[in-house]
Structure formats: C-alpha cells, structure tokens
Amino acid sequence: MARDGTVCAIAFSGAAPTDQWLGSRGIALEKANTANALSLNGYALSTANLFAGAQPGGFLFGLAATNPPNVAMLYDGDPSKYGGEADPALGRRLGGVVTFGGGLALYSGDAVVGGLGASGDTSCADHNIAWRIRQALGFDKVPAGPGPDHNDEIIYDVAPDKTSASGFGHPVCKGTEPEIAEQIHAGFVPRWAKAMK
C-alpha cells in the first residue's frame, strides 16, 4: 500500500486465491492500511501493537470503528482477478482498521512510504510473515516504536488477566510463533511469559 492509502500490489500464496481464507484479502488490505495510517516518520506501530489498547477500557478502545472500510470497493469486480495484476482493488483506497498482528508500516530512509498486510494464518504468524516480507523488500528501517528493541515488534506481554504491561501487547497464539518472532527479531516475550509455558 502506498503512503496515500492506495493499494499498489496484492499477492496470494498457493495456486489460486481460494487456497487461503477468502476473507484474508480484505483483512490483509485493512492491516496494511492500519499500519500505514497509524505510523509516523519517527514512530512505527504494527497492528499487533494495537491489540491491548483497543480492548474495552484500553486507551484505543473504539479504534477499529474509526475508519470503516469501503465494502463496495472490497467486493467490486471479478473475484477470479483477486490477488493478481488485474485485482480491482489496485489503485484504490479501502480504508479499515485491524487491531491484531500482521500489518506493518514500510520505511524508506527516514519516512513511512506505505504499509504491508499479511493474512491467512494466526495473527502471530501473519506478523512474522509480514516482518520477513518487509525485510526482504528492504523497507524495514524502522526509526522507533513501542517494542523493547525500539521498533514495531510484536510484544507478547498480555497476562492471563488480559492486561498488557507495556500497553502495546498481543496475546500468544497457539504454536511456535513467539519463538520464531524472537529468532527473527520480530517479537519480544518477557521472562515471566516464558516461565508460564
């Protein structure tokens, strides 16, 4: 997604768009929009960083309803073209806000140049996949963020009582996503959370 919110590229994995969740196209586009729209040149927020604050009583509660997607645009055109060079969403603005992992802002030099969204697995895996894609594209020069590494990494500090010590936490998904995130420097798991496993 370009900085002005227009969709500039869409891809899918597998042989056909139906090889992943049909809703993933829209979710990925909204994740890209969210990270692009809520990150600044000097401070990045991943969609994973928004989870805790968007919960009832959180400082971002209601965020997901602030920028509704253009549903007509999302479902416009021939579905057989979705995910390819002729996807009807290309060059258009969808909008939307997602507050779980998988969306990252893209940085070139010292500026946000757009957003990236990944969907099709758990939100934790989507974050790791988006992280690797952004790194491969070379748009990973994040200046600062809420993570301990001063970037937009996923922070696994949501406690059993649903509170987040940092205020920017994300719950752990089932699987090895937190360990993978730490290996690729895309996430942080506090010692107390590791001890709870």
Coordinates of all heavy atoms in Angstrom, one line a residue, residues 172-173 175-179 189 192-197:
V172 N -0.6 -14.5 23.0 CA 0.2 -15.5 22.3 C -0.8 -16.4 21.6 O -1.9 -16.8 22.1 CB 0.9 -16.4 23.4 CG1 1.6 -17.6 22.7 CG2 2.0 -15.5 24.1
C173 N -0.5 -16.8 20.4 CA -1.3 -17.7 19.6 C -0.8 -19.1 19.8 O 0.4 -19.3 20.3 CB -1.2 -17.4 18.1 SG -1.6 -15.7 17.6
G175 N 1.0 -22.4 19.1 CA 2.1 -22.7 18.2 C 3.4 -22.1 18.6 O 3.6 -21.6 19.7
T176 N 4.3 -22.1 17.7 CA 5.7 -21.6 18.0 C 6.0 -20.2 17.5 O 7.1 -19.8 17.4 CB 6.7 -22.6 17.3 OG1 6.5 -22.6 15.9 CG2 6.6 -24.0 17.9
E177 N 4.9 -19.5 17.2 CA 5.1 -18.1 16.6 C 6.0 -17.2 17.5 O 6.8 -16.5 17.0 CB 3.8 -17.4 16.3 CG 3.0 -18.1 15.2 CD 2.0 -19.1 15.7 OE1 2.2 -19.7 16.7 OE2 1.0 -19.2 15.0
P178 N 5.8 -17.2 18.9 CA 6.6 -16.3 19.7 C 8.1 -16.7 19.6 O 8.9 -15.8 19.5 CB 6.1 -16.6 21.1 CG 4.7 -17.0 20.9 CD 4.7 -17.8 19.7
E179 N 8.4 -18.0 19.6 CA 9.8 -18.4 19.5 C 10.4 -17.9 18.1 O 11.5 -17.4 18.0 CB 10.0 -19.9 19.7 CG 9.7 -20.4 21.0 CD 8.2 -20.6 21.3 OE1 7.3 -20.4 20.4 OE2 7.8 -20.9 22.5
V189 N 9.2 -11.7 24.0 CA 8.5 -12.4 25.0 C 9.2 -12.2 26.4 O 10.3 -12.6 26.6 CB 8.5 -13.9 24.7 CG1 7.7 -14.7 25.7 CG2 8.0 -14.2 23.3
W192 N 8.7 -13.6 32.4 CA 7.5 -14.2 33.1 C 6.6 -14.9 32.1 O 6.0 -15.9 32.5 CB 6.8 -13.1 33.9 CG 6.1 -12.0 33.0 CD1 6.6 -10.8 32.7 CD2 4.9 -12.1 32.3 NE1 5.8 -10.1 31.9 CE2 4.7 -10.9 31.6 CE3 3.9 -13.1 32.2 CZ2 3.6 -10.6 30.9 CZ3 2.8 -12.8 31.4 CH2 2.6 -11.6 30.8
A193 N 6.5 -14.5 30.9 CA 5.6 -15.2 30.0 C 6.2 -16.5 29.5 O 5.5 -17.5 29.4 CB 5.4 -14.3 28.7
K194 N 7.6 -16.5 29.4 CA 8.2 -17.8 29.1 C 8.1 -18.8 30.2 O 7.9 -20.0 30.0 CB 9.7 -17.5 28.8 CG 10.0 -16.8 27.5 CD 11.4 -16.5 27.4 CE 11.7 -15.7 26.1 NZ 13.1 -15.4 25.9
A195 N 8.1 -18.3 31.4 CA 8.0 -19.2 32.6 C 6.6 -19.8 32.7 O 6.4 -20.8 33.4 CB 8.4 -18.4 33.9
M196 N 5.6 -19.1 32.2 CA 4.2 -19.6 32.3 C 4.0 -20.8 31.3 O 3.0 -21.5 31.4 CB 3.3 -18.5 32.0 CG 3.2 -17.4 33.0 SD 2.1 -16.1 32.7 CE 0.5 -17.0 32.8
K197 N 4.9 -21.0 30.4 CA 4.6 -22.1 29.4 C 4.8 -23.5 30.0 O 5.5 -23.8 30.8 CB 5.6 -22.0 28.2 CG 5.1 -20.9 27.2 CD 5.8 -21.1 25.9 CE 4.8 -20.9 24.9 NZ 5.2 -21.2 23.6

